[in-house]
Amino acid sequence: MGNGGTGCSRCSQEAVYLQRATGRHLCSAHLAGEVVDRVRRTLAADGMPPAGSLVAVALSGGKDSTVLLSLLQGIARETGELDLVAITVDEGISGYREETLRAAAATAARYGVPHRTGSFAGLFGRTLDQEVTGQEHRACAVCGVLRRKALTILAREAGADCIATGHNLDDEAQSVLMNWLRGDRDRLLRDPLQGGQRGFLRRIKPLREIPEKEVALYGVITGLFTPMPECPYRHAALRGEARAMLNAMEQRFPGTLERLVQGQRRLARGAAGQIPAPVGSCMRCGEPATGPLCQACRLLEEGCFRPVRHR
Ligand code: SF4
Ligand code: ZN
């Protein structure tokens, strides 16, 4: 990332980062400033939660969510209009989760933000490790659906008005590519920025326009975290392939991630109203659902998990 003595494109300081998509070199201060500005712009564009809202920040303890909590805490302190609660889900991934859980608790304490935790084992009866033994390629798909469910349960228990997650531009682009690879028309045409429909807790993604590298560098520059272990399933699933493919494409054709995400948004806007919104409620948990069961309860029904507790 460093580029040997090159000056920042915005001042005379030494650059620490080449933003390949724009061709600009940035010093630490300007890179950090741009990250903060982009988060503010994203929140303004997507609709800042109304004054008095309690925002549940999904805090895994990794770099994205640590940066997210720090930035939202800064905005909450400055405006005096938002309250935060950190929520952490322990999926039950041995050798990885223990350290990040400790980091999450320390981060919440450092910012004086109340912290709630829940686990797959406690909420659903089994750990992720137990659920995907012998089927490790399913890990991220199972983990994603159940973590979403667990975060919703924890956020509702905390009385939150919305959930903020640390998805960055790379995560968003990977999801778009995976939806193409799976041929998932509904997800491709659904506007990911639409949230808070009937019965759903609104979700916001303040880091969604910031590349993973810039989030990581922001964390290093501002002294927010030390390197954490990687999830052992990270490379096993389709997402790992999508990540590798997109990283190679971005390296050769800078701006690929952003164009992929923007293209999907244009498709979704063009298809507005074509994708049916969930109209019923899940028989098990009461969350909105298109059929008798929501996605999480369907998955739990197929596996050996016990049903989600009722709201
Ligand atoms: Fe879950 Fe996959 Fe992320 Fe690991 S890499 S925490 S399994 S989504
Ligand atoms: Zn359900």
Side-chain angles (χ1 to χ4, degrees):
M1 263 180 266
N3 40 12
T6 308
C8 175
S9 304
R10 295 185 54 188
C11 72
S12 56
Q13 295 296 308
E14 187 176 335
V16 296
Y17 177 62
L18 167 60
Q19 196 174 53
R20 291 172 53 88
T22 62
R24 293 179 315 149
H25 299 272
L26 294 170
C27 68
S28 306
H30 276 114
L31 173 65
E34 290 200 1
V35 166
V36 175
D37 287 349
R38 246 174 306 166
V39 165
R40 289 180 198 279
R41 278 205 306 274
T42 301
L43 282 169
D46 296 351
M48 184 70 122
S53 295
L54 177 62
V55 180
V57 183
L59 179 68
S60 70
K63 62 184 184 329
D64 300 307
S65 62
T66 303
V67 166
L68 176 68
L69 185 68
S70 144
L71 290 168
L72 287 180
Q73 164 74 348
I75 291 170
R77 208 178 319 118
E78 187 184 290
T79 61
E81 292 185 342
L82 297 179
D83 287 314
L84 305 181
V85 56
I87 51 176
T88 300
V89 177
D90 176 3
E91 301 90 350
I93 304 171
S94 63
Y96 158 67
R97 254 326 194 171
E98 299 82 354
E99 201 174 328
T100 48
L101 287 170
R102 278 195 296 276
T107 300
R110 182 180 346 153
Y111 291 106
V113 174
H115 188 208
R116 286 174 169 254
T117 57
S119 66
F120 281 10
L123 294 167
F124 310 131
R126 283 168 69 93
T127 65
L128 184 69
D129 283 343
Q130 289 169 329
E131 173 63 7
V132 301
T133 302
Q135 309 177 60
E136 285 75 10
H137 65 281
R138 290 179 62 224
C140 291
V142 173
C143 182
V145 171
L146 294 184
R147 190 176 39 217
R148 196 179 166 88
K149 184 84 194 166
L151 287 173
T152 302
I153 293 170
L154 293 176
R156 285 198 198 283
E157 284 177 355
D161 302 291
C162 75
I163 301 177
T165 60
H167 293 95
N168 58 44
L169 179 65
D170 295 52
D171 297 322
E172 296 291 275
Q174 288 154 19
S175 295
V176 174
L177 179 59
M178 287 160 65
N179 289 336
W180 278 112
L181 295 174
R182 291 192 189 112
D184 192 333
R185 172 186 174 271
D186 282 11
R187 277 177 196 247
L188 277 170
L189 295 184
R190 190 175 293 142
D191 186 348
L193 300 181
Q194 289 301 311
Q197 299 105 325
R198 185 197 61 81
F200 282 109
L201 260 187
R202 184 182 171 208
R203 299 174 88 88
I204 56 174
K205 299 177 184 175
L207 306 181
R208 68 178 171 79
E209 295 199 338
I210 306 177
E212 184 174 312
K213 256 188 195 168
E214 295 182 25
V215 175
L217 207 47
Y218 177 89
V220 172
I221 289 167
T222 52
L224 281 178
F225 52 77
T226 47
M228 282 285 152
E230 276 196 348
C231 175
Y233 298 117
R234 189 175 153 97
H235 301 284
L238 182 58
R239 185 171 287 274
E241 296 295 327
R243 178 185 296 112
M245 195 189 297
L246 285 172
N247 285 350
M249 294 293 286
E250 180 70 26
Q251 184 68 22
R252 287 195 59 201
F253 308 105
T256 295
L257 298 178
E258 198 170 339
R259 286 191 293 274
L260 187 61
V261 170
Q262 293 301 337
Q264 190 271 333
R265 301 238 158 93
R266 280 196 293 276
L267 272 181
R269 277 198 293 273
Q274 287 180 32
I275 303 301
V279 286
S281 300
C282 173
M283 285 164 49
R284 281 251 166 91
C285 70
E287 288 287 321
T290 38
L293 295 178
C294 70
Q295 205 185 359
C297 288
R298 251 193 336 259
L299 203 149
L300 296 167
E301 179 110 314
E302 287 161 11
C304 313
F305 283 78
R306 71 165 187 255
V308 180
R309 68 177 179 243
H310 285 258
R311 277 200 275 157

